[in-house]
Amino acid sequence: MSTQEAATDADELETASDKRSIILVFAGLMITMLLASLDQMIFSTALPTIVGELHGVNHMVWITTAYILASTIMMPVYGKLGDLIGRKGLFIGAICIFIVGSIIGGLSHNMTTLIAGRAVQGLGGGGLILLAQAIIADVVPARQRGRYMGAMGGVFAIAAVAGPLLGGWFTEGIGWRWAFWINVPLGLLAIASAMAFLHLPKPKLGKPSIDYPGMILVATSATCLILFTTWGGNTYAWGSAVIVGLVIGCIVSAIAFVFVERRATEPVIPMHLFSERNFVLTTVAGLVIGIAMFGALAYLPTYIQMVTGKNATEAGLMMIPMMAGMLVASTGSGQIISKTGRYKMFPILGTSIVAVALVLLSRLTPSTPLIVFGIYITILGVGIGLVMQILILIVQNTFPAAEVGTATASNNFFRQIGASLGSALVGSLFASRLTNILTERLPAAGGAVGNDENSLTPAILWKLPAPIRETIVGAYNDALAPIFMYIVPLVIVAVILLTFIKEKPLATTIDRSAPPLE
């Protein structure tokens, strides 16, 4: 069968389905994905003000890391339970947990409560994006799924800019706590949409067998890994008992997890997934993209404010070029994939572009023109847009419908591990390098900024005397920019691995034999 005939058959399949129902479901899923993706980015512009007000620069990394860590731990759980008991109830429950976390964060008046709220948000947020991706696989064949996955990538693109922009607008206006409160009405709208329009296949299993030991072990291993990268060389010395204990804990729990999963009736991450070449390659590539994406995006808005003197809202606006790059690349590639059925070239090209963008960002200086900065982040956005959702599509096309949730969750789990590592590693390196550079270049900085560098905000910085301000600005630039180059070798490895992906034909049908949930 020719490519044109296959595309025609796929279009006819979608025409025969209830398009209106799919669109209504998709609209609800987009709202939910926007909730989750916004919350990964909305605090980036608000961070300097938040940590300044709450006196917590040393704990800044945890505002991002707490959310990502909690969501990472929950992803395999949501994926497996969705395959076993159905996704609708889990989906609504995840939104409810997310709303509770937002309320805790909105009411917080110290860093401990704020970080706790972010962690609770993550416990729900881990299910929002993952279950949305799996639900699309329940209702749309793989061949037509490219255009929907492309639109989902567009949501990430919008959130990548709308998040920092909203965070800046709230910070400059009604207050940064509205970065939490905005989730309540949006979350209630998403719940109403899911209850009204979401009708999914019931699982065919009887009483499910829950892999509690596997869930505990994978959570333990992930937590030890993220704490190791967050605390190592910063809060604790690399050779300290705490760091050594975390390394041992991570390795032991990971090994125990593999043994448990080989014997579990319904393993949370089945080991047979790793026998599929495409799954392994896309998972490794997704982990690297997670490191690059969140390592860069989590701190670029802070960099803009501290180095260029822009306020939080302006810093958010300056991220628009990256959104445009992601949006065009994601939606455009999705449309092409649905029409042609060819997809292998896109993640290879996208990952290569990400490597180029990171090299360019590592060359930033305080005197770099803003238009050049905009070009650099546009290139980064194009690269990310060509990779993220297509890797998920490849994974879903590799496994049967009964395992699509588990496979999607497992792939997302390792991508989120990358996101956690990226945020934690870049954050820890950034904080450590900044402290060392300031100590070296400005021994009297403490007196200049009120004897508490933890309270240094952009507003305070740009009121300091010019010589001191320029020294601190230079320190911020030199602490962050070179770190981007450290990530480049990892991205190059991902490019090489993706060339070995086997391009399997995208499925043009979907199993609809199971009755819908009421």
Side-chain angles (χ1 to χ4, degrees):
M1 179 181 292
S2 68
T3 301
Q4 184 176 359
E5 289 171 339
T8 301
D9 290 344
D11 289 338
E12 289 174 354
L13 282 168
E14 189 180 36
T15 301
S17 68
D18 186 354
K19 285 187 176 182
R20 180 176 179 274
S21 176
I22 292 176
I23 290 172
L24 289 172
V25 169
F26 188 65
L29 297 179
M30 295 281 275
I31 294 172
T32 310
M33 290 193 69
L34 183 63
L35 264 178
S37 51
L38 269 179
D39 237 66
Q40 292 181 350
M41 303 306 306
I42 198 168
F43 291 96
S44 54
T45 44
L47 270 179
T49 300
I50 292 173
V51 298
E53 287 185 8
L54 301 183
H55 309 290
V57 168
N58 289 338
H59 303 292
M60 176 173 65
V61 65
W62 278 105
I63 297 177
T64 301
T65 303
Y67 178 91
I68 297 177
L69 174 58
S71 64
T72 301
I73 290 170
M74 291 302 296
M75 274 189 172
V77 178
Y78 283 117
K80 172 54 72 174
L81 290 180
D83 284 341
L84 292 177
I85 66 176
R87 298 186 230 284
K88 181 174 180 178
L90 281 176
F91 191 56
I92 294 172
I95 299 172
C96 291
I97 295 172
F98 186 83
I99 292 174
V100 170
S102 298
I103 293 172
I104 294 173
L107 294 174
S108 63
H109 289 280
N110 56 64
M111 287 294 289
T112 301
T113 307
L114 178 69
I115 292 170
R118 291 287 285 161
V120 175
Q121 279 187 309
L123 294 177
L128 301 188
I129 294 176
L130 179 279
L131 291 172
Q133 291 172 336
I135 287 168
I136 282 296
D138 286 335
V139 298
V140 180
R143 180 60 181 270
Q144 293 302 320
R145 208 176 299 153
R147 65 184 62 171
Y148 293 95
M149 287 294 192
M152 285 183 167
V155 171
F156 286 106
I158 292 171
V161 174
L165 184 58
L166 281 173
W169 184 60
F170 290 147
T171 301
E172 299 290 329
I174 57 180
W176 56 262
R177 285 181 177 81
W178 276 92
F180 288 103
W181 294 125
I182 191 176
N183 295 324
V184 177
L186 287 176
L188 294 175
L189 179 61
I191 291 173
S193 174
M195 294 179 68
F197 304 121
L198 198 55
H199 303 286
L200 302 175
K202 290 180 180 178
K204 298 179 181 180
L205 301 175
K207 184 178 179 181
S209 174
I210 308 300
D211 180 21
Y212 293 111
M215 293 177 182
I216 293 172
L217 287 169
V218 74
T220 301
S221 183
T223 300
C224 289
L225 177 62
I226 303 308
L227 291 179
F228 161 71
T229 56
T230 302
W231 288 344
N234 188 12
T235 305
Y236 299 98
W238 288 111
S240 68
V242 172
I243 298 301
V244 172
L246 289 172
V247 173
I248 294 173
C250 177
I251 295 173
V252 170
S253 55
I255 294 172
F257 174 74
V258 172
F259 280 103
V260 167
E261 295 304 271
R262 288 184 178 275
R263 293 164 175 76
T265 304
E266 291 291 344
V268 65
I269 301 181
M271 293 296 103
H272 74 82
L273 297 180
F274 296 94
S275 64
E276 290 285 348
R277 181 171 71 180
N278 280 3
F279 177 82
V280 174
L281 295 175
T282 56
T283 296
V284 174
L287 187 149
V288 172
I289 291 298
I291 292 175
M293 179 178 177
F294 285 91
L297 298 188
Y299 298 98
L300 279 178
T302 296
Y303 173 89
I304 293 170
Q305 293 177 76
M306 300 300 284
V307 174
T308 70
K310 301 296 182 183
N311 61 35
T313 303
E314 291 169 334
L317 287 170
M318 288 181 63
M319 299 299 290
I320 287 178
M322 192 189 71
M323 177 199 72
M326 288 180 66
L327 188 61
V328 171
S330 178
T331 55
S333 60
Q335 292 291 335
I336 293 172
I337 289 170
S338 289
K339 289 180 179 179
T340 66
R342 307 301 298 271
Y343 53 83
K344 180 177 178 178
M345 64 176 178
F346 292 107
I348 297 173
L349 177 61
T351 311
S352 302
I353 293 173
V354 169
V356 171
L358 290 173
V359 172
L360 294 174
L361 288 171
S362 72
R363 301 174 64 86
L364 289 173
T365 68
S367 61
T368 299
L370 294 181
I371 189 171
V372 173
F373 175 83
I375 293 172
Y376 290 174
I377 63 174
T378 301
I379 295 171
L380 179 64
V382 169
I384 293 171
L386 290 173
V387 178
M388 285 185 57
Q389 297 306 305
I390 297 173
L391 294 182
I392 295 296
L393 177 63
I394 295 172
V395 169
Q396 292 181 344
N397 191 56
T398 303
F399 297 98
E403 285 191 314
V404 73
T406 300
T408 303
S410 300
N411 182 268
N412 270 290
F413 170 75
F414 288 101
R415 181 184 298 183
Q416 284 293 94
I417 287 288
S420 301
L421 289 173
S423 296
L425 285 171
V426 173
S428 296
L429 283 171
F430 178 37
S432 176
R433 286 169 58 88
L434 179 62
T435 299
N436 292 337
I437 293 173
L438 282 175
T439 300
E440 176 186 330
R441 299 181 185 177
L442 198 63
V449 298
N451 294 316
D452 188 3
E453 68 179 43
N454 280 339
S455 300
L456 184 63
T457 67
I460 293 175
L461 171 63
W462 287 85
K463 291 179 181 177
L464 294 175
I468 297 175
R469 182 181 68 243
E470 290 172 3
T471 301
I472 296 175
V473 165
Y476 263 84
N477 180 87
D478 295 345
L480 181 62
I483 296 176
F484 297 131
M485 183 61 78
Y486 301 166
I487 306 173
V488 173
L490 285 175
V491 180
I492 293 174
V493 170
V495 174
I496 296 171
L497 291 176
L498 287 171
T499 61
F500 293 97
I501 283 179
K502 182 179 180 181
E503 192 170 43
K504 299 179 180 180
L506 294 173
T508 58
T509 60
I510 189 169
D511 181 10
R512 301 184 187 276
S513 59
L517 289 170
E518 298 296 337

